């Protein structure tokens, strides 16, 4: 795929190959990652990248839009069909920009938004003080119940009544359980707030019918075509027809200028692929694998946040093993297992240290891993956790990781 680059920039070519080796020989368990089909890389590397285009199909600011109009319409229609949505905007460059688009379509700077706390599982763009969402808007946050570690719907209702937010946001980046979208939509309706669901992490599971869909309940739903959708690197917005015009003009010209047409083409393919039986059965396996991994880690003495998982995420509390997220994250990386340190609810450690790690099963499931491998991976993780300073044991585990990873060749003979 990179034969021309090899001739003109060997330094960069070698770096990309170094990363390919890492992806091939390691066990990838970052919850927001996946391995994309070759078609996605073909489209993202296609001549679509040459075109500049602003506006929407039939209403453009640059000439030469006939084919692009057809491709964007194809992506929009597929997204609507896949999720049963009235309207789709597939232009956001990322999930963050999709959220920015929805906020700027529906509310004004200084208005109140109510979203999930970042350290309880939310996302930066749901009102974190270090993000535009917490700087531009008056951000109030809800969290999880201290005992159950599940979303505290009573707290959402109390905060909504007290602060009268203009938008209530549901969705998370490190929450392993289903979210009751209907319940939050009723709370939003009662305080006359818009209801935004950011389903970036679970969009693929929603598409496959493994996870409840927020589409019937939310005014707007944002997502990414990466993560569980396992396709193009970008964002999208679904909404009711009633606010479609506002959403479109908030994305362009409100938040973005010209579109990324190579990514838009890849989004059209992502939505088609997500309608296939093959994709649905992979997503089913993603959820089975996450449940298996959670159960095995629990058996091995880790504490699983909320006691299990409904999606692709396993949140692990490391305190029973007397290590931090930072320590385990680094030790796992040294043997080729990639996870990320992550705050757990009411974490006594700082975000750079943390008491937990977040583990996701999407990428390895796409490679072909099943329950058997999840049991092996849990054992490997436990051996690393119990031998953090034993260089010899870690070296042996590194070899075992490579053997396991290579049972599922990535793009073998295809690149
Ligand atoms: N939100 C980040 C994550 O979940 O890893 C990246 O999208």
């Amino acid at each position: 795929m990179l034969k021309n680059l090899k001739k003109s920039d060997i330094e960069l070519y070698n770096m990309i190959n170094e990363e390919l080796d890492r992806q091939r020989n390691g066990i990838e368990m970052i919850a927001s990652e996946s391995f994309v089909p070759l078609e996605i890389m073909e489209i993202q590397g296609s001549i679509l990248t040459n075109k500049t285009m602003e506006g929407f199909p039939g209403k453009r600011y640059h000439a030469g839009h006939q084919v692009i109009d057809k491709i964007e319409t194809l992506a929009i229609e597929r997204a609507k069909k896949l999720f049963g949505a009235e309207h789709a905007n597939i232009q956001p460059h990322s999930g963050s920009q999709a959220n920015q688009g929805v906020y700027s379509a529906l509310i004004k700077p200084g208005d109140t938004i109510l979203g999930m706390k970042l350290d309880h599982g939310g996302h930066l763009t749901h009102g974190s003080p270090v993000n535009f969402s917490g700087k531009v808007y008056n951000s109030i946050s809800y969290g999880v119940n201290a005992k159950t570690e599940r979303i505290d719907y009573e707290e959402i209702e109390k905060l909504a009544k007290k602060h009268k937010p203009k938008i209530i946001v549901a969705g998370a980046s490190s929450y392993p359980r289903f979210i009751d979208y209907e319940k939050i939509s009723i709370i939003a309706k009662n305080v006359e707030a818009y209801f935004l669901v950011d389903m970036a992490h679970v969009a693929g599971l929603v598409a496959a019918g493994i996870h409840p869909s927020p589409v019937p309940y939310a005014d707007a739903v944002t997502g990414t075509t990466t993560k569980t959708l396992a396709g193009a690197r970008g964002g999208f917005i679904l909404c009711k027809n009633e606010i479609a015009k506002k959403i479109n003009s908030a994305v362009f010209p409100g938040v973005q200028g010209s579109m990324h047409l190579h990514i838009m083409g890849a989004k059209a393919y992502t939505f088609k692929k997500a309608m296939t039986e093959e994709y649905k059965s992979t997503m089913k396996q993603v959820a089975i694998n996450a449940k298996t991994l959670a159960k095995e880690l629990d058996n091995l003495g880790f504490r699983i946040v909320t006691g299990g998982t409904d999606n692709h995420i396993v949140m692990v509390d490391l305190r029973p093993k007397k290590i931090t997220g930072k320590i385990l994250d680094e030790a796992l990386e040294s043997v080729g297992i990639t996870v990320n340190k992550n705050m757990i609810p009411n974490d006594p450690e700082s975000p750079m240290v943390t008491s937990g790690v977040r583990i996701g099963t999407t990428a390895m499931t796409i490679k072909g891993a099943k329950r058997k491998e999840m049991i092996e991976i849990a054992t490997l993780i436990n051996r690393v956790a119990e031998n953090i300073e034993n260089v010899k044991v870690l070296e042996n585990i590194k070899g075992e990781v490579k053997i396991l990873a290579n049972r599922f060749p990535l793009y073998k003979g295809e690149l």
Side-chain angles (χ1 to χ4, degrees):
M1 232 175 215
L2 303 171
K3 59 182 191 301
N4 294 299
L5 183 69
K6 188 177 182 179
K7 285 186 218 142
S8 61
D9 189 346
I10 191 71
E11 193 181 4
L12 178 58
Y13 173 86
N14 285 339
M15 287 179 190
I16 294 174
N17 271 298
E18 208 181 314
E19 172 61 13
L20 175 61
D21 279 349
R22 194 194 65 80
Q23 291 186 14
R24 279 183 167 155
N25 295 319
I27 296 178
E28 289 288 337
M29 307 214 75
I30 303 257
S32 43
E33 290 186 13
S34 63
F35 293 111
V36 302
L38 284 169
E39 288 88 338
I40 293 293
M41 288 189 278
E42 285 172 1
I43 305 164
Q44 291 184 173
S46 76
I47 50 87
L48 290 176
T49 197
N50 294 335
K51 187 81 192 98
T52 294
M53 187 60 59
E54 289 176 344
F56 294 92
K59 205 171 162 209
R60 300 295 193 185
Y61 291 82
H62 301 83
H65 56 83
Q66 288 76 8
V67 179
I68 299 307
D69 281 7
K70 282 197 281 183
I71 296 176
E72 184 169 5
T73 304
L74 184 69
I76 289 170
E77 291 308 317
R78 286 178 176 173
K80 282 162 59 178
K81 186 171 170 205
L82 178 65
F83 292 109
E86 290 180 13
H87 176 75
N89 182 309
I90 50 87
Q91 294 191 6
H93 299 325
S94 69
S96 293
Q97 283 183 299
N99 286 342
Q100 197 177 5
V102 173
Y103 294 141
S104 53
L106 303 178
I107 59 175
K108 290 197 265 323
D111 281 349
T112 300
I113 61 172
L114 174 59
M116 191 167 177
K117 283 180 198 146
L118 185 59
D119 56 354
H120 281 211
H123 187 255
L124 279 170
T125 55
H126 300 175
S128 161
V130 296
N131 181 262
F132 79 89
S133 56
K135 294 184 204 281
V136 175
Y137 305 105
N138 175 38
S139 162
I140 309 290
S141 308
Y142 61 86
V144 297
N145 176 287
K147 238 188 181 159
T148 63
E149 298 178 306
R150 297 188 186 222
I151 289 176
D152 188 339
Y153 297 95
E154 275 175 27
E155 187 192 17
I156 300 181
E157 186 164 25
K158 229 167 44 204
L159 291 171
K161 280 185 178 154
K162 183 170 172 202
H163 297 281
K164 298 271 180 311
K166 289 276 168 56
I167 292 187
I168 299 182
V169 191
S173 62
S174 51
Y175 183 67
R177 293 297 185 176
F178 290 152
I179 297 175
D180 192 337
Y181 300 125
E182 186 177 11
K183 204 176 245 182
I184 306 179
S185 79
I186 294 167
I187 298 172
K189 211 165 261 150
N190 286 343
V191 296
E192 292 179 15
Y194 286 108
F195 181 33
L196 162 63
V197 174
D198 176 347
M199 65 166 179
H201 260 273
V202 296
L205 299 169
V206 170
I210 313 292
H211 189 288
S213 171
V215 173
Y217 305 109
D219 296 292
V221 175
T222 53
T224 59
T225 37
T226 40
K227 303 189 176 77
T228 47
L229 263 179
R233 184 152 284 278
F236 63 91
I237 304 172
L238 309 171
C239 67
K240 309 264 187 235
N241 279 331
E242 213 181 309
I243 56 169
K245 257 193 163 159
K246 277 189 188 174
I247 293 284
N248 276 359
S249 49
V251 173
F252 172 83
V255 171
Q256 294 181 180
S258 60
M259 298 148 65
H260 290 177
L261 298 168
H262 55 315
I263 302 296
M264 191 181 75
K267 285 175 185 171
Y269 183 81
T270 305
F271 297 131
K272 180 183 161 81
K273 176 96 185 168
M275 289 180 218
T276 63
E277 286 310 313
E278 179 200 351
Y279 175 82
K280 286 182 189 161
S281 100
T282 304
M283 285 302 109
K284 209 168 166 187
Q285 192 66 48
V286 164
I288 292 170
N289 283 354
K291 283 184 177 56
T292 307
L293 187 68
K295 189 162 170 282
E296 286 306 307
L297 288 171
D298 178 66
N299 289 343
L300 292 165
F302 293 89
R303 191 185 77 83
I304 305 304
V305 174
T306 77
T309 176
D310 296 327
N311 55 31
H312 60 302
I313 293 174
V314 182
M315 293 297 302
V316 188
D317 180 351
L318 303 169
R319 287 173 296 182
K321 298 281 181 188
K322 305 214 175 335
I323 49 174
T324 64
K326 182 178 187 313
I327 287 173
L328 185 62
D329 170 327
E330 287 169 4
L332 287 174
E333 189 178 31
S334 78
V335 302
I337 301 176
T338 325
V339 304
N340 65 281
K341 60 177 178 279
N342 212 102
M343 301 286 271
I344 55 166
N346 304 310
D347 202 323
E349 300 287 352
S350 74
M352 289 310 289
V353 177
T354 81
S355 299
V357 288
R358 181 186 68 163
I359 310 183
T361 52
T362 315
M364 286 308 290
T365 308
I366 287 175
K367 263 190 174 176
K370 299 221 162 49
R371 294 186 65 217
K372 177 173 170 281
E373 285 75 29
M374 292 302 128
I375 295 167
E376 288 177 48
I377 291 169
T379 308
L380 289 169
I381 291 174
N382 186 47
R383 280 171 58 207
V384 172
E386 298 199 336
N387 291 282
I388 290 287
E389 279 169 10
N390 191 331
V391 180
K392 202 158 171 228
V393 173
L394 294 184
E395 202 49 46
N396 287 341
I397 297 174
K398 192 174 181 176
E400 293 174 51
V401 166
K402 195 168 172 184
I403 291 168
L404 195 158
N406 281 283
R407 293 219 297 265
F408 306 100
L410 180 66
Y411 308 126
K412 191 170 176 228
E414 294 167 319
L415 290 185

